[in-house]
Amino acid sequence: MSRVLLPLLIAQLLAAGCSPYALRGRVVEGAPAGVEVVRADDPRLVSRPPLPEVRLALAENPQRLNRRDAGNAVSGPDGWFELRPDVAGAGVLRIDAGLEARRQGFAPAVGFFPLPGRGKRVLVTMPVGRDRSASPTDFLDETLRQARPYLD
């Protein structure tokens, strides 16, 4: 049995290494603000008005002290985006991520999730409004800055 499974596992890892992992999704206008992982054929991906020029920032381990920036992207004219995370094992290993979306004139959207598989997409929904709050990543960055003298 293991003689069959091992070659299949190796083939899958090699296939994942041949084509780089990309986090794909679409930013749409709507309420409430949110970020969620959906199936690639979810009708909300195409039925809502797109939002172009949304700045997207991805973080690895966003709710931990070892948080790390993992990439940035900007949504295209049709709201679609593709972000290639700078994370070892993306697409193969379970990696916790956080995505933050911002655009002037719209309330920000933030979500936390494990990086999804290739058959999934990220749906970012942003309502019209002002960006009134500091982002969770700004709060975490400030907390880490204050704690740094005690960590050395």
Side-chain angles (χ1 to χ4, degrees):
M1 182 83 158
S2 64
R3 288 183 180 180
V4 173
L5 293 178
L6 185 58
L8 289 175
L9 178 61
I10 291 171
Q12 183 179 11
L13 290 174
L14 289 175
C18 293
S19 60
Y21 174 82
L23 181 67
R24 292 179 175 89
R26 191 170 195 219
V27 184
V28 298
E29 184 178 333
V35 175
E36 59 185 303
V37 175
V38 299
R39 291 181 12 188
D41 62 353
D42 189 304
R44 296 175 295 170
L45 288 166
V46 293
S47 65
R48 294 184 180 174
L51 274 180
E53 299 179 15
V54 175
R55 294 181 323 274
L56 301 148
L58 185 71
E60 177 185 9
N61 296 321
Q63 297 174 316
R64 296 190 179 157
L65 288 176
N66 64 340
R67 174 188 170 275
R68 188 174 81 77
D69 292 336
N72 297 290
V74 176
S75 63
D78 55 0
W80 288 99
F81 66 88
E82 182 176 290
L83 195 154
R84 297 200 184 274
D86 180 23
V87 178
V92 178
L93 303 175
R94 177 187 158 88
I95 297 172
D96 291 327
L99 186 68
E100 178 179 55
R102 292 182 178 275
R103 181 179 171 203
Q104 187 173 10
F106 291 84
V110 178
F112 304 98
F113 49 86
L115 285 179
R118 295 181 191 273
K120 303 284 185 170
R121 299 291 179 263
V122 176
L123 175 63
V124 179
T125 306
M126 299 177 70
V128 173
R130 287 189 350 156
D131 188 351
R132 296 182 182 174
S133 63
S135 75
T137 54
D138 291 341
F139 173 77
L140 182 58
D141 288 342
E142 177 61 19
T143 303
L144 289 173
R145 187 190 64 75
Q146 291 178 8
R148 202 165 306 282
Y150 302 103
L151 298 174
D152 294 329

